[in-house]
Amino acid sequence: MEVYIDGKFYKKEDAKISVFDHGLLYGDGLFEGIRVYDNCIFKLDAHLERIEYSAKAIALELPWTREEIARAHVEACRRNGVANGYIRSVITRGVGDLGLNPHTCAKPSLIVIADKIALYPAEVYEKGIRLITVPTRRMSVAALPPMVKSLNYLNNILAKIEALNCGFDECLLLNDQGNVAECSGDNIFIVHKGKLITPMPSSSLLMGITRAATMECARELGIPVVETTLTRYDVWNADEAFLTGSAAEVIPVVELDGRKIGAGKCGPITAKLLELFRKKVRTDGVMIA
Ligand code: PXG
């Protein structure tokens, strides 16, 4: 495997950054997780737009054009023969002095890793997953906006640890108001009386690319979409629920906090959305070959 760092490709064992990079010292930087399906980098443009918005939010001036960043992604896939897989891109603040001040960092670094992805077992998409609400709250938009896909993932990792300690693979996080935010690495949707409902951005969540793609699918299928405030009560009483994420795609949720959701298996609207989503992924993006 060869990893892209700042314009060059390095063998995996030689792909290294400085211990003085503020990405490591302070978590000062950004990342993306992008899927590749049959030579198509799914929604690459949307991911690059999210990087630009995240960079603006943390006052990190990108020294590359969108086209340059896109080319690095395409090249990383080609070099590594990744036709189906996963791209992890990282932008760090760069090498600087000790101390928080980002102005001591000369220039940001761009890292692009194209690799295989461990797929979820097929049965997860039929049988669904069980969730538990954890005590850790999703951080407030007034602290560090969760829309920023930053290198600070401890909020999510603490929630994940709590879920794993209870024997669950994924968890629900509430925001500081006690309303539903998202999961540790996925967005959440419910279906109620024929409508698709998901927490609105100000509920403290990452604006997932899969979330947006799923809402697009729903609109194409004529399913009404609502972004609003949701409580755990709404999820417990939903007809269907599911998670979305680049790795997860669309995964049914069959239980939250010991309450069975709907029929306790993948619901009909979830199944329809997953079917259309899987049709789109091979064409809706940037082609490698
Ligand atoms: N919420 C959070 C907090 C996330 O980190 C999503 C939602 C889904 O967003 P997308 O754009 O993927 O639809 C994410 C996604 C990984 C990995 O390497 C990916 C994510 C988070 C953690 C790990 O598998 N991101």
Side-chain angles (χ1 to χ4, degrees), residues 18-285:
S18 165
V19 294
F20 292 97
D21 193 308
H22 281 207
L24 178 67
L25 287 174
Y26 302 109
D28 187 352
L30 309 166
F31 78 101
E32 275 297 328
I34 309 172
R35 281 291 287 271
V36 187
Y37 295 91
D38 286 353
N39 288 308
C40 174
I41 307 181
F42 180 57
K43 296 269 185 199
L44 178 60
D45 235 41
H47 284 280
L48 298 182
E49 181 183 69
R50 185 164 69 185
I51 287 180
E52 289 166 7
Y53 289 161
S54 288
K56 185 72 173 280
I58 67 163
L60 189 156
E61 213 173 300
L62 297 172
W64 318 280
T65 63
R66 189 184 290 195
E67 291 67 34
E68 284 168 334
I69 303 177
R71 224 175 295 134
H73 283 68
V74 170
E75 201 46 43
C77 291
R78 283 187 185 150
R79 281 238 181 189
N80 293 288
V82 172
N84 284 283
Y86 185 72
I87 308 172
R88 163 57 55 93
S89 355
V90 182
I91 291 173
T92 72
R93 185 75 70 175
V95 175
D97 298 337
L98 296 181
L100 297 183
N101 186 354
H103 300 140
T104 70
C105 304
K107 57 177 173 49
S109 274
L110 172 62
I111 300 163
V112 184
I113 307 166
D115 202 354
K116 294 183 283 293
I117 184 165
L119 300 175
Y120 283 83
E123 65 165 39
V124 167
Y125 295 92
E126 287 150 35
K127 290 193 183 153
I129 61 164
R130 295 160 58 237
L131 297 182
I132 187 166
T133 307
V134 291
T136 293
R137 297 291 174 100
R138 194 72 175 103
M139 63 203 175
S140 146
V141 288
L144 171 60
M147 301 83 166
V148 177
K149 203 163 164 62
S150 87
L151 293 180
N152 281 274
Y153 250 53
L154 275 174
N155 180 220
N156 312 60
I157 290 165
L158 293 181
K160 182 87 175 184
I161 289 168
E162 288 167 347
L164 293 171
N165 284 346
C166 298
F168 289 77
D169 292 328
E170 186 49 288
C171 53
L172 182 69
L173 284 94
L174 307 178
N175 63 18
D176 56 356
Q177 309 295 308
N179 296 315
V180 172
E182 60 176 336
C183 297
S184 72
D186 302 293
N187 292 116
I188 188 161
F189 284 84
I190 62 168
V191 176
H192 190 64
K193 297 190 191 294
K195 284 197 187 112
L196 184 63
I197 313 170
T198 197
M200 58 190 177
S202 59
S203 297
S204 286
L205 48 111
L206 181 78
M207 306 272 272
I209 306 297
T210 320
R211 174 181 180 274
T214 303
M215 292 195 286
E216 251 175 56
C217 291
R219 291 191 187 102
E220 284 175 32
L221 292 167
I223 300 163
V225 180
V226 183
E227 290 177 86
T228 185
T229 300
L230 282 179
T231 65
R232 286 203 297 165
Y233 172 91
D234 299 316
V235 184
W236 296 334
N237 286 298
D239 300 323
E240 301 178 29
F242 61 85
L243 307 184
T244 63
S246 294
E249 303 181 305
V250 175
I251 291 185
V253 174
V254 293
E255 184 190 304
L256 172 64
D257 305 328
R259 280 80 158 176
K260 187 166 88 169
I261 296 173
K265 58 179 188 186
C266 181
I269 292 183
T270 306
K272 262 194 208 165
L273 289 167
L274 178 59
E275 192 190 341
L276 182 55
F277 176 81
R278 286 199 165 148
K279 266 189 202 144
K280 274 177 178 259
V281 293
R282 279 160 186 84
T283 50
D284 189 352

